[in-house]
Amino acid sequence: TLTDKLGQVFKKLRGHGRITESNITEALREVRIALLEADVHLKVVKEFLERVKEKALGQEVLTSVTPAQQFIKIVADELVNVLGSYTSELDFSGKPPAVIMLVGLQGSGKTTQAAKLALFLRNKKRKPGLVCLDIYRPAAYDQLKKLSAQISVPFFEYEKPKDPLNIAKESLIFADKVGVDTLIFDTAGRLHIDQELMDELKALRNNIKINEVLLVVDSMIGQEALNVAEKFNQEVKLTGLILTKLDGDARGGAALSAKSVTGVPIKFIGVGEKLNALEVFHPHRMASRILG
Amino acid sequence: ILGKSVIDDVVWEELETLLITSDVGIETSSTIIKNLRKQNFKDTASLKKGLIDEITKLLVPYSQTIDFNRNKPFVIMVVGVNGVGKTTTIAKLAKYFVDKNKKVVLGAADTFRAAAIEQLEIWAKRLGVDIVKQKENADPAAVAYDSLQYTKAKDYDVLIIDTAGRLHTKSNLMEELKKIKRVLQKVSMDYPDETLLILDATLGQNSINQAKVFTESINATGIIMTKLDGTAKGGVLINVVTSLRIPVYFVGVGEGIDDLEIFDARSFAEGLFE
Ligand SMILES: Nc1nc2c(ncn2[C@@H]2O[C@H](COP(=O)(O)OP(=O)(O)OP(=O)(O)O)[C@@H](O)[C@H]2O)c(=O)[nH]1
Ligand SMILES: Nc1nc2c(ncn2[C@@H]2O[C@H](COP(=O)(O)OP(=O)(O)OP(=O)(O)O)[C@@H](O)[C@H]2O)c(=O)[nH]1
Ligand SMILES: [Mg+2]
Ligand SMILES: [Mg+2]
């Protein structure tokens, strides 16, 4: 583990008074390796190491902990600092229905997370409704409809799918009619470089009052997490992130890349395929997971 | 990287950046760079060609085509973690075989995920191929067995079995896949002729864990890497293929039925520079 490796590096530090530029270089190199193995983007790793170095230099080597423990604490604290507070605060302000839109790459877990969010909100005594804006993927509508039925949440039914903007507008009427106070929009998976589909999201954002736009990111994603998060944020202005499939063994460095480039909070994590597998994001847990 | 013509430390660093940000991984990148340093390139243009040659050389032994005529029916089982593109790739594979005048059957053995059967049914209908399915939550091994019996009874050529996505860390789900294999082996020890592991090009180093576990548990015999139409380069494939020695048959380059290409080592290597 990183702690063991740093233990080796800092064996030589015993008896020295301070953490200095020279004795920290090797330690930083070990952290660099750990973060890159965790899929944190190289650019984000470089910036992160600079900040850790600044924080660590000149610190007194404490006698109550080993230098490795002290250094790891600096690294972990800085990670937690970047990853942000635990909050699953969602904005429900304005005239109902509040609208939460899920966006992201193909297969990241949007449809499943949409249903999980609906269950989460129902348990918080809100009245959620689910809307399928994915008119492309075979059986996308059936998938969300089945999930809605599993959790007894109203699902906006329509016959011939027109375009997502049309469906979205009609779902607002549906919400009023059936007493839904929070609509969750499931959108089609799309590439951040598909301008036509990014414009489709822009049109939704510009024509419907949307309270939350959450980017759903597969925690196993690699270096591209940075570019994907940045592009989605530029095109559609995100309000939060959901990191999925954390029940696996991916280190999830994408959390650091996506959070640092967008500045928006990680609001939830997906930890399984069942609809109750949605948790509030805990930065400390994520930090130790990333460090390995 | 090739703005300047002289190879200096800045160029080596840019090369490392290129490899790491392409998900090649830190260890594999450093091995590739070590090998390139030994070769004394005279300028950056030949260094670039050297890198493409190096990666091509690593991957070419594993760039193979499926020998689907070696058995009848030829049985393919498709596996992988959640959301990587198994079901869509099966549709593309079916088209590949249909275009070669093969009679194809699809086995809807993902009996777990909401509307998984409906999703495959739509593809079957679009392709004009038969699909064998049971109710949602039926035993996947039973569906696999049924689809094999159906394919044999009809004397069709290729059976492609879809399975539910599953994380390799879930041992009970890996057991489920082993059971599907055992049930097929009851009919013939040849079966399945291919166990295709689907890897998603956008994923990072976790693909190595996926490939290791899927190979160890159920012996993946080939790889298809999807979503190479995005910006991800799929660099982790180099480590996966060379350490596990599994062939790569195809790459997925889009969401449509024709978006399947035969894997080409050199194009993949050149893709790192796009
Ligand atoms: N293990 C695990 N699987 C998940 C999680 N969230 C979603 N999945 C699975 O990931 C796969 C893809 O989920 P979907 O919800 O269909 O993904 P999507 O983003 O809507 O996909 P597209 O609409 O095609 O872009 C399914 O097999 C889900 O069951 C999670 O937190 N953990
Ligand atoms: N851009 C792109 N999208 C793809 C590709 N292959 C599959 N997809 C998309 O990825 C998403 C998931 O595809 P599926 O075929 O449902 O994936 P799966 O592995 O069967 O998912 P589960 O059964 O839920 O585990 C869909 O939106 C597909 O259209 C590809 O090569 N390129
Ligand atoms: Mg979906
Ligand atoms: Mg599937």
Side-chain angles (χ1 to χ4, degrees):
Chain A
T1 65
L2 182 60
T3 315
D4 301 331
K5 296 209 188 108
L6 290 176
Q8 291 302 319
V9 166
F10 282 114
K11 259 201 173 84
K12 319 159 191 167
L13 200 66
R14 292 243 170 75
H16 295 230
R18 290 173 179 286
I19 294 180
T20 67
E21 183 101 32
S22 56
N23 58 36
I24 208 178
T25 310
E26 238 182 294
L28 288 173
R29 193 173 307 132
E30 289 300 337
V31 177
R32 177 180 188 267
I33 293 171
L35 294 177
L36 289 175
E37 285 177 342
D39 293 319
V40 180
H41 193 278
L42 183 59
K43 197 159 96 199
V44 173
V45 172
K46 288 187 178 151
E47 294 165 8
F48 180 80
L49 292 177
E50 277 306 307
R51 287 201 303 280
V52 165
K53 188 168 164 190
E54 264 175 55
K55 294 237 154 86
L57 282 181
Q59 279 207 11
E60 291 282 352
V61 174
L62 304 172
T63 50
S64 52
V65 295
T66 68
Q69 286 169 333
Q70 182 175 353
F71 185 74
I72 269 251
K73 177 151 192 336
I74 296 168
V75 173
D77 285 353
E78 186 53 26
L79 253 182
V80 169
N81 198 16
V82 180
L83 289 173
S85 55
Y86 357 179
T87 174
S88 62
E89 291 307 320
L90 290 171
D91 171 37
F92 298 116
S93 63
K95 174 170 174 290
V99 177
I100 301 172
M101 181 164 79
L102 299 191
V103 302
L105 293 178
Q106 291 89 345
S108 55
K110 298 173 293 301
T111 303
T112 312
Q113 260 48 233
K116 288 179 186 179
L117 261 176
L119 180 60
F120 177 84
L121 293 178
R122 206 197 66 193
N123 291 340
K124 295 236 167 214
K125 309 297 180 216
R126 291 195 66 90
K127 304 205 197 80
L130 286 163
V131 185
C132 175
L133 296 184
D134 182 350
I135 56 172
Y136 312 102
R137 171 175 156 147
Y141 179 93
D142 301 321
Q143 184 185 3
L144 191 60
K145 183 163 186 238
K146 282 201 178 180
L147 294 178
S148 311
Q150 284 177 21
I151 51 174
S152 312
V153 160
F155 173 76
F156 177 51
E157 300 199 26
Y158 51 85
E159 288 296 331
K160 274 254 154 284
K162 305 161 200 94
D163 65 68
L165 184 55
N166 233 294
I167 299 167
K169 287 186 177 154
E170 294 185 2
S171 75
L172 298 175
I173 303 168
F174 155 82
D176 282 340
K177 219 194 287 158
V178 306
V180 156
D181 63 17
T182 315
L183 280 175
I184 300 168
F185 287 175
D186 179 22
T187 66
R190 69 202 62 217
L191 296 177
H192 51 303
I193 52 171
D194 185 330
Q195 199 50 53
E196 200 175 318
L197 287 184
M198 295 311 283
D199 288 346
E200 180 186 275
L201 290 183
K202 274 219 236 13
L204 284 162
R205 195 90 162 92
N206 294 334
N207 289 288
I208 307 248
K209 182 212 83 182
I210 299 182
N211 299 62
E212 294 275 352
V213 180
L214 306 177
L215 179 67
V216 177
V217 179
D218 187 327
S219 62
M220 303 180 279
I221 194 174
Q223 296 280 304
E224 280 309 285
L226 185 75
N227 297 326
V228 170
E230 185 170 41
K231 192 80 202 315
F232 267 92
N233 197 29
Q234 283 167 1
E235 297 283 321
V236 207
K237 189 149 170 308
L238 307 172
T239 62
L241 308 167
I242 302 182
L243 209 59
T244 64
K245 308 179 200 172
L246 277 168
D247 44 319
D249 59 1
R251 298 266 289 274
L256 191 62
S257 310
K259 175 84 204 316
S260 17
V261 77
T262 62
V264 302
I266 300 168
K267 300 207 172 186
F268 297 96
I269 57 173
V271 292
E273 294 192 74
K274 301 231 168 79
L275 299 186
N276 56 10
L278 186 77
E279 292 177 1
V280 169
F281 175 68
H282 273 272
H284 288 91
R285 286 188 211 155
M286 195 71 220
S288 37
R289 181 181 183 128
I290 290 174
L291 290 177
Chain B
I1 168 183
L2 316 164
K4 37 214 313 226
S5 57
V6 162
I7 300 177
D8 58 16
D9 283 346
V10 173
V11 168
W12 287 115
E13 188 176 337
E14 286 182 12
L15 191 59
E16 188 194 40
T17 296
L18 175 75
L19 292 174
I20 290 179
T21 57
S22 300
D23 288 318
V24 171
I26 186 162
E27 229 180 274
T28 308
S29 299
S30 113
T31 305
I32 291 173
I33 289 179
K34 272 205 200 83
N35 292 339
L36 290 175
R37 277 188 188 268
K38 293 189 198 137
Q39 296 175 50
N40 287 321
F41 293 101
K42 56 180 171 53
D43 56 31
T44 56
S46 40
L47 173 60
K48 174 179 177 181
K49 172 153 196 315
L51 172 67
I52 293 175
D53 288 346
E54 182 73 16
I55 293 176
T56 303
K57 187 166 115 258
L58 289 171
L59 295 176
V60 124
Y62 303 100
S63 132
Q64 299 172 22
T65 48
I66 297 185
D67 173 21
F68 53 88
N69 284 314
R70 71 173 186 265
N71 211 352
K72 183 171 184 188
F74 191 84
V75 180
I76 300 172
M77 184 171 150
V78 175
V79 302
V81 303
N82 308 73
V84 293
K86 297 177 293 301
T87 306
T88 310
T89 301
I90 287 170
K92 297 174 186 178
L93 268 176
K95 173 124 200 316
Y96 171 80
F97 291 121
V98 162
D99 288 349
K100 297 195 182 294
N101 293 314
K102 299 291 172 192
K103 294 295 271 174
V104 181
V105 177
L106 302 183
D110 177 355
T111 59
F112 168 75
R113 207 211 67 214
I117 298 169
E118 287 86 329
Q119 183 186 6
L120 193 63
E121 266 188 298
I122 290 173
W123 284 117
K125 202 174 262 121
R126 288 181 186 176
L127 287 159
V129 301
D130 291 352
I131 179 169
V132 174
K133 57 174 180 152
Q134 289 181 17
K135 285 223 196 83
E136 208 168 279
N137 293 315
D139 176 5
V143 180
Y145 184 82
D146 265 11
S147 58
L148 178 53
Q149 297 301 44
Y150 179 89
T151 309
K152 283 164 65 83
K154 291 270 187 175
D155 195 29
Y156 285 172
D157 304 300
V158 184
L159 166 63
I160 313 175
I161 300 171
D162 191 12
T163 64
R166 68 204 65 219
L167 296 180
H168 50 293
T169 47
K170 312 214 160 162
S171 50
N172 58 323
L173 297 184
M174 297 311 288
E175 276 307 314
E176 181 182 86
L177 283 183
K178 286 187 194 163
K179 179 175 175 207
I180 296 176
K181 282 199 102 170
R182 280 199 301 275
V183 150
L184 295 174
Q185 284 169 345
K186 283 212 188 97
V187 178
S188 160
M189 281 312 287
D190 292 341
Y191 293 146
D193 295 284
E194 292 284 343
T195 300
L196 300 184
L197 173 63
I198 310 301
L199 295 178
D200 180 336
T202 64
L203 305 188
Q205 301 308 297
N206 194 257
S207 289
I208 298 171
N209 303 23
Q210 294 171 26
K212 274 207 190 98
V213 174
F214 274 92
T215 303
E216 280 164 22
S217 315
I218 56 153
N219 188 28
T221 59
I223 288 168
I224 298 182
M225 179 168 260
T226 61
K227 306 182 194 172
L228 276 165
D229 48 313
T231 52
K233 306 292 159 96
V236 68
L237 188 67
I238 301 170
N239 181 325
V240 167
V241 161
T242 54
S243 58
L244 297 172
R245 300 163 162 254
I246 315 176
V248 188
Y249 294 130
F250 296 98
V251 293
V253 293
E255 303 189 69
I257 198 87
D258 292 309
D259 295 328
L260 189 73
E261 293 176 0
I262 302 243
F263 176 70
D264 180 272
R266 182 160 298 270
S267 317
F268 181 84
E270 287 168 346
L272 293 180
F273 282 99
E274 272 149 35

